[in-house]
Structures are given as C-alpha cells and as structure tokens.
Amino acid sequence: MEIKTYIRFFALIAGCLMMASACKKNSSDTDAVNKPVVEAYLVAGQPLSVKVYQQKDLTDTATYGSGITGLTINVSNGTQTVKLTEGTNGTYTYSDASFVTAGKTYSMQFTYNNVAVSASTVMPGKPVGFKLTDSVFHEPNTLDQAYNDKVRATITWTNPDSLQHMLLFKNTDSNPFEIIAVRNNRNPSFEINTERASTYSITQTTFKYYGAYKVILLRVNDEYINILTSNTRGSSQNLVNTPTNVVNGLGIFTAMQADTLNLRVTTE
C-alpha cells in the first residue's frame, strides 16, 4: 500500500537521525546509557506497530541496535487500552486498524530494567484542501540562473492554524532519468519541511529527475519535526540530547496523516 511506502521513507529519515540518539555516549552520563530506543509512527486506519531496540556503540554501523524482546507494551486511546503482540526483532503490533483514529491521544507504556517507559502523541486530522496547479510539470530544456526562484507551479493546502506539515516527493519510476543540467544534490525522492506554511512553490531547480511522482502531504506533530531539525549528529558530545518524546527512553512515538496527489515531471 502507498501509505506503507511513505511511512517507510519518513521512518528512514527519522531513523537516520535516531541512530545518533541510539548510540552510547562516551562520557560519565550513565543515566543515558541503556535506555531503550522506541520507534513508532501511528497512522489513522492502519495497524499499530512499535519497535523497541537497544542503544548502539558509536562504532556500530548497523541501522538498529538489538531488538528488545519480552516486553509487555500497552497503548491507550483514552477509552480503550490494548496489549501489543510481540513479533520478531523487538517489533510489537496491534492488528485492529480501527483502533487508530483522528483526534485521539495515544499513550504507550512498558517497563524496562524496572523503569517505567512511556510516551504519548495526538493523532492529527487529515490534510485539507491539498491541490496542485497542474498534474504535469514541464521542466525547462535549459536553465537560466536568473530565474532559479521563479515560481512555475504551486502546491497549496488549507492551514489556518499553522500546523506542521511535511511534503514528500516520491519518484515511482524503476529507473528514473536524470535531468541533464546543473542541479541540486537531491535524490529522486526527497522531503520538504513546509515550516507551517500552506503553500510550496515549484521552480526550475526543484527536481533532479524526470518521471512520475507521488506528492504526499503529511500532517505531523512537533516531536517529528524536532527530530528532523535536530543538529546533534555532528558531535558525539550531544548524542544523548537528540530530541525525544519518550520518558525514560529515546526515540519517537508519533502520529501522522496524509493525502496524496500524482505529478509527472517532463520536458518543456
């Protein structure tokens, strides 16, 4: 399903940043060592999944530390509490997709090393009024640097309360064709923090590859933005200060909703 695709993409982005928070700091800060790392992205109408793993050494190049098994993880939506089912590699799930709905606050709790670990998040509403000026974007054959900032297409949505949104441009071609021109260093698929705006301007330098795209607008919470905008990767002395909304743990427990449009990038 498409929703699983973009969740995997955004999980990868946040996961790369959380690799820092999952590393053990070489210092006397023993309070930060051996805290469990939580990774959960709740989506309305989808089964619930929580991954819990151990912190890693700084020299460990694995994506995750070892999964933590044997936990009893409960999640509440304010009126109902469910126990997650343990799977493999420290992944715990609840399969009833109707449990996760918009507008509710979700609280997670488990005990690790005799310490209560918890987190909570609010499921936001689905993005509203998501529109593209055209389903086809015509890329100029030649680039004029004097027009790098000229708006050639616009993406808009309704956001009177200045809520947090992310834009994902996912190239769906199996072998995307690179635009032959001086370009930015973006990959075929890339994400944009909209900075609480309600519009995004597409210019002649937005895309590095031609092809078919899924343009996905996600309404997200502050805890997700905090991790994305964290600059703690650059120093081992700041690793344990990576933003987290997990009490007595590290990582992220967050919720999001999305809307998707199709866009084709082609020659002018």
Side-chain angles (χ1 to χ4, degrees):
M1 294 177 65
E2 181 61 34
I3 195 163
K4 292 182 180 179
T5 301
Y6 68 71
I7 290 301
R8 283 196 299 269
F9 184 87
F10 275 86
L12 176 63
I13 297 166
C16 289
L17 292 173
M18 284 197 297
M19 283 178 66
S21 69
C23 293
K24 293 181 181 178
K25 181 181 177 184
N26 293 335
S27 76
S28 60
D29 189 1
T30 56
D31 289 340
V33 176
N34 295 326
K35 285 185 177 180
V37 182
V38 175
E39 187 176 2
Y41 307 91
L42 281 62
V43 180
Q46 294 293 309
L48 193 158
S49 178
V50 177
K51 183 175 180 64
V52 186
Y53 52 97
Q54 296 175 347
Q55 297 182 56
K56 308 186 299 96
D57 291 325
L58 289 171
T59 57
D60 191 344
T61 58
T63 302
Y64 296 102
S66 299
I68 299 177
T69 60
L71 300 175
T72 299
I73 301 181
N74 295 313
V75 176
S76 171
N77 64 4
T79 57
Q80 179 186 4
T81 299
V82 300
K83 178 182 177 181
L84 306 193
T85 299
E86 182 177 348
T88 59
N89 300 320
T91 300
Y92 299 78
T93 60
Y94 184 71
S95 60
D96 186 353
S98 66
F99 178 69
V100 183
T101 57
K104 291 189 175 182
T105 297
Y106 290 83
S107 301
M108 175 208 66
Q109 188 275 331
F110 63 89
T111 299
Y112 179 67
N113 286 345
N114 297 317
V115 176
V117 179
S118 62
S120 65
T121 189
V122 177
M123 176 59 68
K126 188 172 182 177
V128 176
F130 187 33
K131 296 178 182 179
L132 278 165
T133 50
D134 200 326
S135 61
V136 179
F137 180 76
H138 296 281
E139 188 68 44
N141 293 319
T142 59
L143 292 185
D144 186 340
Q145 292 187 357
Y147 294 95
N148 277 355
D149 295 329
K150 181 180 179 181
V151 177
R152 297 179 60 90
T154 304
I155 303 171
T156 57
W157 56 95
T158 303
N159 192 21
D161 297 323
S162 299
L163 301 176
Q164 300 277 20
H165 291 78
M166 294 288 298
L167 270 173
L168 167 60
F169 295 85
K170 178 172 175 54
N171 189 296
T172 59
D173 290 358
S174 58
N175 188 24
F177 186 73
E178 189 170 9
I179 299 170
I180 306 301
V182 177
R183 289 281 155 175
N184 55 49
N185 61 355
R186 284 176 177 157
N187 294 319
S189 299
F190 57 96
E191 86 290 344
I192 299 292
N193 180 357
T194 67
E195 307 285 351
R196 298 183 182 272
S198 58
T199 183
Y200 179 76
S201 299
I202 300 177
T203 69
Q204 65 179 0
T205 60
T206 296
F207 298 99
K208 192 176 181 180
Y209 292 84
Y210 294 112
Y213 284 82
K214 294 288 186 182
V215 183
I216 304 163
L217 179 68
L218 288 107
R219 182 173 291 177
V220 298
N221 293 326
D222 287 345
E223 61 265 14
Y224 189 88
I225 295 295
N226 289 342
I227 283 187
L228 285 182
T229 56
S230 169
N231 61 358
T232 59
R233 284 183 295 175
S235 170
S236 64
Q237 296 306 305
N238 290 324
L239 292 180
V240 297
N241 296 321
T242 299
T244 180
N245 67 328
V246 180
V247 179
N248 293 324
L250 299 170
I252 187 170
F253 181 80
T254 192
M256 55 186 68
Q257 286 219 61
D259 199 1
T260 305
L261 297 173
N262 295 313
L263 177 66
R264 183 164 58 91
V265 178
T266 186
T267 56
E268 194 167 44

